[in-house]
PDB file of all heavy atoms in Angstrom:
ATOM      1  N   VAL A1279     -33.115  -6.987  16.332  1.00 98.00           N
ATOM      2  CA  VAL A1279     -31.803  -6.634  16.885  1.00 98.00           C
ATOM      3  C   VAL A1279     -31.760  -6.950  18.388  1.00 98.00           C
ATOM      4  O   VAL A1279     -32.791  -7.075  19.042  1.00 98.00           O
ATOM      5  CB  VAL A1279     -31.427  -5.146  16.644  1.00 98.00           C
ATOM      6  CG1 VAL A1279     -31.137  -4.878  15.183  1.00 98.00           C
ATOM      7  CG2 VAL A1279     -32.492  -4.197  17.166  1.00 98.00           C
ATOM      8  N   ASP A1280     -30.532  -7.066  18.909  1.00 98.00           N
ATOM      9  CA  ASP A1280     -30.353  -7.524  20.292  1.00 98.00           C
ATOM     10  C   ASP A1280     -30.197  -6.371  21.290  1.00 98.00           C
ATOM     11  O   ASP A1280     -29.845  -6.606  22.451  1.00 98.00           O
ATOM     12  CB  ASP A1280     -29.110  -8.428  20.364  1.00 98.00           C
ATOM     13  CG  ASP A1280     -29.240  -9.616  19.427  1.00 98.00           C
ATOM     14  OD1 ASP A1280     -30.136 -10.424  19.651  1.00 98.00           O
ATOM     15  OD2 ASP A1280     -28.464  -9.700  18.456  1.00 98.00           O
ATOM     16  N   GLY A1281     -30.418  -5.161  20.831  1.00 98.00           N
ATOM     17  CA  GLY A1281     -30.323  -4.009  21.722  1.00 98.00           C
ATOM     18  C   GLY A1281     -30.309  -2.745  20.877  1.00 98.00           C
ATOM     19  O   GLY A1281     -29.919  -2.783  19.710  1.00 98.00           O
ATOM     20  N   CYS A1282     -30.776  -1.658  21.485  1.00 98.00           N
ATOM     21  CA  CYS A1282     -30.862  -0.414  20.716  1.00 98.00           C
ATOM     22  C   CYS A1282     -30.352   0.732  21.594  1.00 98.00           C
ATOM     23  O   CYS A1282     -30.652   0.786  22.784  1.00 98.00           O
ATOM     24  CB  CYS A1282     -32.324  -0.194  20.345  1.00 98.00           C
ATOM     25  SG  CYS A1282     -32.607   1.346  19.487  1.00 98.00           S
ATOM     26  N   CYS A1283     -29.548   1.604  21.001  1.00 98.00           N
ATOM     27  CA  CYS A1283     -29.038   2.726  21.784  1.00 98.00           C
ATOM     28  C   CYS A1283     -29.104   4.009  20.957  1.00 98.00           C
ATOM     29  O   CYS A1283     -29.291   3.970  19.736  1.00 98.00           O
ATOM     30  CB  CYS A1283     -27.599   2.457  22.232  1.00 98.00           C
ATOM     31  SG  CYS A1283     -26.464   2.111  20.880  1.00 98.00           S
ATOM     32  N   SER A1284     -28.939   5.129  21.644  1.00 98.00           N
ATOM     33  CA  SER A1284     -28.843   6.412  20.939  1.00 98.00           C
ATOM     34  C   SER A1284     -28.124   7.392  21.852  1.00 98.00           C
ATOM     35  O   SER A1284     -28.180   7.264  23.078  1.00 98.00           O
ATOM     36  CB  SER A1284     -30.231   6.949  20.587  1.00 98.00           C
ATOM     37  OG  SER A1284     -30.924   7.307  21.759  1.00 98.00           O
ATOM     38  N   ALA A1285     -27.415   8.327  21.240  1.00 98.00           N
ATOM     39  CA  ALA A1285     -26.746   9.378  22.010  1.00 98.00           C
ATOM     40  C   ALA A1285     -27.081  10.731  21.388  1.00 98.00           C
ATOM     41  O   ALA A1285     -26.811  10.947  20.209  1.00 98.00           O
ATOM     42  CB  ALA A1285     -25.227   9.148  22.007  1.00 98.00           C
ATOM     43  N   PHE A1286     -27.695  11.568  22.151  1.00 97.00           N
ATOM     44  CA  PHE A1286     -27.999  12.948  21.743  1.00 97.00           C
ATOM     45  C   PHE A1286     -28.866  12.993  20.487  1.00 97.00           C
ATOM     46  O   PHE A1286     -28.736  13.915  19.680  1.00 97.00           O
ATOM     47  CB  PHE A1286     -26.697  13.749  21.547  1.00 97.00           C
ATOM     48  CG  PHE A1286     -25.734  13.552  22.683  1.00 97.00           C
ATOM     49  CD1 PHE A1286     -24.529  12.904  22.511  1.00 97.00           C
ATOM     50  CD2 PHE A1286     -26.081  13.978  23.959  1.00 97.00           C
ATOM     51  CE1 PHE A1286     -23.663  12.683  23.576  1.00 97.00           C
ATOM     52  CE2 PHE A1286     -25.230  13.772  25.037  1.00 97.00           C
ATOM     53  CZ  PHE A1286     -24.008  13.116  24.845  1.00 97.00           C
ATOM     54  N   MET A1287     -29.751  12.011  20.331  1.00 97.00           N
ATOM     55  CA  MET A1287     -30.614  11.929  19.159  1.00 97.00           C
ATOM     56  C   MET A1287     -32.067  12.213  19.498  1.00 97.00           C
ATOM     57  O   MET A1287     -32.739  12.959  18.777  1.00 97.00           O
ATOM     58  CB  MET A1287     -30.468  10.525  18.545  1.00 97.00           C
ATOM     59  CG  MET A1287     -31.161  10.286  17.211  1.00 97.00           C
ATOM     60  SD  MET A1287     -32.932   9.928  17.274  1.00 97.00           S
ATOM     61  CE  MET A1287     -33.005   8.420  18.212  1.00 97.00           C
ATOM     62  N   VAL A1288     -32.542  11.654  20.632  1.00 97.00           N
ATOM     63  CA  VAL A1288     -33.976  11.673  20.944  1.00 97.00           C
ATOM     64  C   VAL A1288     -34.533  13.107  21.001  1.00 97.00           C
ATOM     65  O   VAL A1288     -35.659  13.370  20.585  1.00 97.00           O
ATOM     66  CB  VAL A1288     -34.216  10.913  22.276  1.00 97.00           C
ATOM     67  CG1 VAL A1288     -35.633  11.073  22.758  1.00 97.00           C
ATOM     68  CG2 VAL A1288     -33.910   9.440  22.082  1.00 97.00           C
ATOM     69  N   ARG A1289     -33.707  14.024  21.469  1.00 95.00           N
ATOM     70  CA  ARG A1289     -34.085  15.442  21.560  1.00 95.00           C
ATOM     71  C   ARG A1289     -34.458  16.027  20.184  1.00 95.00           C
ATOM     72  O   ARG A1289     -35.179  17.004  20.093  1.00 95.00           O
ATOM     73  CB  ARG A1289     -32.861  16.162  22.122  1.00 95.00           C
ATOM     74  CG  ARG A1289     -33.062  17.477  22.731  1.00 95.00           C
ATOM     75  CD  ARG A1289     -31.747  17.966  23.316  1.00 95.00           C
ATOM     76  NE  ARG A1289     -30.831  18.528  22.361  1.00 95.00           N
ATOM     77  CZ  ARG A1289     -29.635  18.034  22.038  1.00 95.00           C
ATOM     78  NH1 ARG A1289     -29.211  16.906  22.567  1.00 95.00           N
ATOM     79  NH2 ARG A1289     -28.859  18.645  21.186  1.00 95.00           N
ATOM     80  N   ASN A1290     -33.929  15.412  19.154  1.00 95.00           N
ATOM     81  CA  ASN A1290     -34.152  15.935  17.798  1.00 95.00           C
ATOM     82  C   ASN A1290     -35.388  15.348  17.120  1.00 95.00           C
ATOM     83  O   ASN A1290     -35.723  15.748  16.008  1.00 95.00           O
ATOM     84  CB  ASN A1290     -32.936  15.615  16.916  1.00 95.00           C
ATOM     85  CG  ASN A1290     -31.692  16.297  17.424  1.00 95.00           C
ATOM     86  OD1 ASN A1290     -31.603  17.516  17.410  1.00 95.00           O
ATOM     87  ND2 ASN A1290     -30.729  15.522  17.908  1.00 95.00           N
ATOM     88  N   LEU A1291     -36.036  14.379  17.773  1.00 96.00           N
ATOM     89  CA  LEU A1291     -37.182  13.737  17.127  1.00 96.00           C
ATOM     90  C   LEU A1291     -38.398  14.655  17.115  1.00 96.00           C
ATOM     91  O   LEU A1291     -38.592  15.462  18.020  1.00 96.00           O
ATOM     92  CB  LEU A1291     -37.542  12.437  17.870  1.00 96.00           C
ATOM     93  CG  LEU A1291     -36.505  11.316  17.819  1.00 96.00           C
ATOM     94  CD1 LEU A1291     -36.994  10.115  18.624  1.00 96.00           C
ATOM     95  CD2 LEU A1291     -36.190  10.916  16.393  1.00 96.00           C
ATOM     96  N   SER A1292     -39.253  14.481  16.097  1.00 94.00           N
ATOM     97  CA  SER A1292     -40.505  15.242  16.056  1.00 94.00           C
ATOM     98  C   SER A1292     -41.478  14.647  17.064  1.00 94.00           C
ATOM     99  O   SER A1292     -42.280  15.358  17.657  1.00 94.00           O
ATOM    100  CB  SER A1292     -41.145  15.150  14.668  1.00 94.00           C
ATOM    101  OG  SER A1292     -40.213  15.455  13.684  1.00 94.00           O
ATOM    102  N   ASP A1293     -41.430  13.318  17.253  1.00 96.00           N
ATOM    103  CA  ASP A1293     -42.349  12.639  18.152  1.00 96.00           C
ATOM    104  C   ASP A1293     -41.561  11.597  18.964  1.00 96.00           C
ATOM    105  O   ASP A1293     -41.285  10.494  18.480  1.00 96.00           O
ATOM    106  CB  ASP A1293     -43.454  11.975  17.313  1.00 96.00           C
ATOM    107  CG  ASP A1293     -44.509  11.298  18.165  1.00 96.00           C
ATOM    108  OD1 ASP A1293     -44.281  11.105  19.381  1.00 96.00           O
ATOM    109  OD2 ASP A1293     -45.563  10.952  17.616  1.00 96.00           O
ATOM    110  N   ILE A1294     -41.189  11.971  20.189  1.00 97.00           N
ATOM    111  CA  ILE A1294     -40.348  11.104  21.024  1.00 97.00           C
ATOM    112  C   ILE A1294     -41.049   9.773  21.301  1.00 97.00           C
ATOM    113  O   ILE A1294     -40.432   8.711  21.286  1.00 97.00           O
ATOM    114  CB  ILE A1294     -40.040  11.794  22.373  1.00 97.00           C
ATOM    115  CG1 ILE A1294     -39.338  13.132  22.150  1.00 97.00           C
ATOM    116  CG2 ILE A1294     -39.166  10.925  23.260  1.00 97.00           C
ATOM    117  CD1 ILE A1294     -39.183  13.945  23.426  1.00 97.00           C
TER     118      ILE A1294
END
Side-chain angles (χ1 to χ4, degrees):
V1279 290
D1280 302 296
C1282 176
C1283 56
S1284 68
F1286 313 113
M1287 187 279 298
V1288 171
R1289 200 176 80 244
N1290 297 294
L1291 294 179
S1292 310
D1293 183 346
I1294 302 172

